[in-house]
Amino acid sequence: MIKRYMFLFIFLLTGVSYGETVEQLIDYAVKNSPQIKAQLYEVEALSGDIKSAEAIPNPEAYIQFGRLYSQSESGLNLTEISIYQPLRLWNTRKNSVEEALLRKSAFEFMFDYYKNQVAGEVYKRFYEALYYRELLRIKEENLSIVNSVYQFVKKNYELGEETKLNLFRAEKDLKIAQLEVDQVKTEYQIKLKELSSIVGKDVFDLEGDIKNIKDMKEFQIDQLPEIKYLQKLKESVEKAILVQRGLAKPQVGLELIAGEDAAELGKYEFGIGISTTIPVFYKNEGEIIKLSGTKNSIVQKIKQKELIYRTKIDGLKKKYSVLRSQLEDVNGQIIPSLSDALNLGRKSFRLRVITLFELSDIRKQYIEALIYKAQLLRDIHQVYGEYIKIGGIQ
């Protein structure tokens, strides 16, 4: 019997479902996000371009047969054969491979950019849900205070020491407090569902503390994924220009030729030839001009993005600093003083020094201060989530 209860206890203990941390949810979302998977497949697809750039052109073969007819004999003879092998000179193969590698490297940085976007959004939704859980705790604390006041008023009313008006007011405050708790519970469940839709799986509870605040670490603008993506893209275009310049030069090929001697049938002549193009009129100017324009456009985009990121980072840092300063004031001054005032008010009400209305006003101020603190914490994490979208998890 004891063993049975022990087994049941162990089963229940191991079956306990714990909340999920923000790190766990970010890790899951990054690995399973359709957006990130799509970008990963694009990176993998570029491996084909590298293989194509590494390939050597296939040789071209030409074979000709002829049939001999005469009064005495006839037959099928091989009259001519040639094999032509184009050569990739002027570093066209080397530059083509480097262009493809740079393009793949660029898309890998864009892959990191999308990972940061998903991580930042999950972080923001996680702490948005934590805000409602903290709000629920505050509303439950408010309900506990209101209930204790109600029980005190009800007891005194039954003893004939309290008015019916105060009893009605205490009952109304209790009902409102209970409604607020129920409403925030619903909001918390909605936020969990919204988080689940971003993560890609059901999230039933969270493990974390909204009061845990991280410092913003510095990172270099030119090392951000989107900037690195554009830089690598620019370098790949530069290699593409070199490829086109190489193709604008004479293209050389080797040819092995074998042909039947016209004078002595059945005998063949062999030779090696070199062929080349003569780019007199058109030297790939159109392709080079187009690629040069693309390169100049990317250079300007890099400058624009650096300016945008620098402005956004400065704005986020200033906002983060202001919010943390306000949080320190609320934690260090406002909430302690209102907490002392509430404790004094509850004692004074029991001693009939202040009225129920005055006590309710003090309670509301205290609860509003707690809610304001929770809102500051939520805003701080929302700003930090935007910071993650720029530079990733610090």
Side-chain angles (χ1 to χ4, degrees), residues 148-162:
S148 68
V149 173
Y150 169 74
Q151 296 298 333
F152 176 78
V153 172
K154 181 182 177 183
K155 182 179 179 181
N156 283 348
Y157 175 75
E158 291 171 349
L159 295 174
E161 298 177 358
E162 190 58 83

Side-chain angles (χ1 to χ4, degrees), residues 27-39:
D27 183 64
Y28 184 90
V30 166
K31 290 178 179 177
N32 296 277
S33 168
Q35 183 184 30
I36 292 179
K37 284 185 177 180
Q39 188 66 26

Side-chain angles (χ1 to χ4, degrees), residues 237-353:
V237 173
E238 290 172 345
K239 290 295 179 181
I241 292 174
L242 294 178
V243 171
Q244 292 301 322
R245 285 177 178 168
L247 293 174
K249 296 178 181 179
Q251 300 302 300
V252 179
L254 294 177
E255 188 173 10
L256 174 64
I257 306 170
E260 188 177 24
D261 192 321
E264 296 186 46
L265 299 179
K267 292 185 178 181
Y268 295 89
E269 294 181 351
F270 294 89
I272 297 176
I274 299 176
S275 64
T276 179
T277 61
I278 304 176
V280 177
F281 301 106
Y282 184 74
K283 299 181 180 180
N284 292 25
E285 290 97 339
E287 288 83 354
I288 293 172
I289 291 172
K290 181 179 178 182
L291 289 169
S292 297
T294 301
K295 174 189 170 182
N296 293 333
S297 174
I298 293 173
V299 169
Q300 296 305 315
K301 285 181 181 179
I302 291 173
K303 292 179 180 179
Q304 181 189 28
K305 286 291 182 181
E306 286 178 342
L307 180 61
I308 290 172
Y309 276 124
R310 191 170 287 108
T311 303
K312 188 171 184 179
I313 289 170
D314 289 343
L316 289 173
K317 284 182 177 180
K318 289 177 181 178
K319 187 174 182 180
Y320 202 69
S321 176
V322 170
L323 289 171
R324 292 191 68 169
S325 176
Q326 292 175 349
L327 181 64
E328 289 176 4
D329 291 340
V330 171
N331 267 334
Q333 301 177 19
I334 298 175
I335 290 180
S337 63
L338 287 174
S339 178
D340 292 341
L342 179 61
N343 291 331
L344 180 61
R346 295 171 72 174
K347 293 177 182 177
S348 299
F349 176 70
R350 293 176 182 276
L351 296 173
R352 300 187 179 280
V353 175

Side-chain angles (χ1 to χ4, degrees), residues 54-204:
E54 291 173 339
I56 296 175
N58 290 325
E60 300 173 8
Y62 172 78
I63 301 176
Q64 180 177 302
F65 293 91
R67 180 174 289 277
L68 174 67
Y69 287 97
S70 67
Q71 293 180 350
S72 60
E73 60 180 337
S74 66
L76 183 66
N77 295 326
L78 177 65
T79 60
E80 186 178 346
I81 180 173
S82 67
I83 299 175
Y84 175 74
Q85 176 62 61
L87 301 179
R88 298 185 67 177
L89 302 177
W90 323 116
N91 286 328
T92 55
R93 181 173 180 270
K94 172 178 174 290
N95 289 328
S96 294
V97 172
E98 290 179 356
E99 177 205 351
L101 288 170
L102 285 166
R103 207 148 22 92
K104 183 181 178 184
S105 178
F107 276 84
E108 285 172 350
F109 281 112
M110 185 54 68
F111 177 68
D112 291 336
Y113 168 80
Y114 283 117
K115 286 200 297 185
N116 290 347
Q117 295 299 302
V118 171
E121 191 61 31
V122 171
Y123 185 93
K124 290 174 65 177
R125 297 298 183 104
F126 180 90
Y127 280 97
E128 178 74 10
L130 274 190
Y131 161 73
Y132 279 94
R133 194 175 74 177
E134 177 67 12
L135 190 59
L136 177 60
R137 186 196 65 77
I138 295 170
K139 294 297 183 180
E140 287 174 342
E141 181 181 353
N142 180 56
L143 178 61
S144 176
I145 296 171
V146 171
N147 185 57
S148 68
V149 173
Y150 169 74
Q151 296 298 333
F152 176 78
V153 172
K154 181 182 177 183
K155 182 179 179 181
N156 283 348
Y157 175 75
E158 291 171 349
L159 295 174
E161 298 177 358
E162 190 58 83
T163 65
K164 194 168 187 178
L165 179 61
N166 276 349
L167 179 62
F168 284 157
R169 179 174 292 158
E171 287 177 344
K172 182 199 70 174
D173 290 344
L174 184 61
K175 288 179 181 178
I176 292 174
Q178 183 62 60
L179 286 172
E180 289 177 346
V181 168
D182 295 340
Q183 181 181 4
V184 176
K185 280 182 180 178
T186 302
E187 291 290 340
Y188 178 57
Q189 294 302 317
I190 292 173
K191 293 304 175 182
L192 287 179
K193 290 185 181 298
E194 291 177 355
L195 177 61
S196 300
S197 66
I198 297 295
V199 173
K201 70 171 185 176
D202 290 332
V203 181
F204 299 102

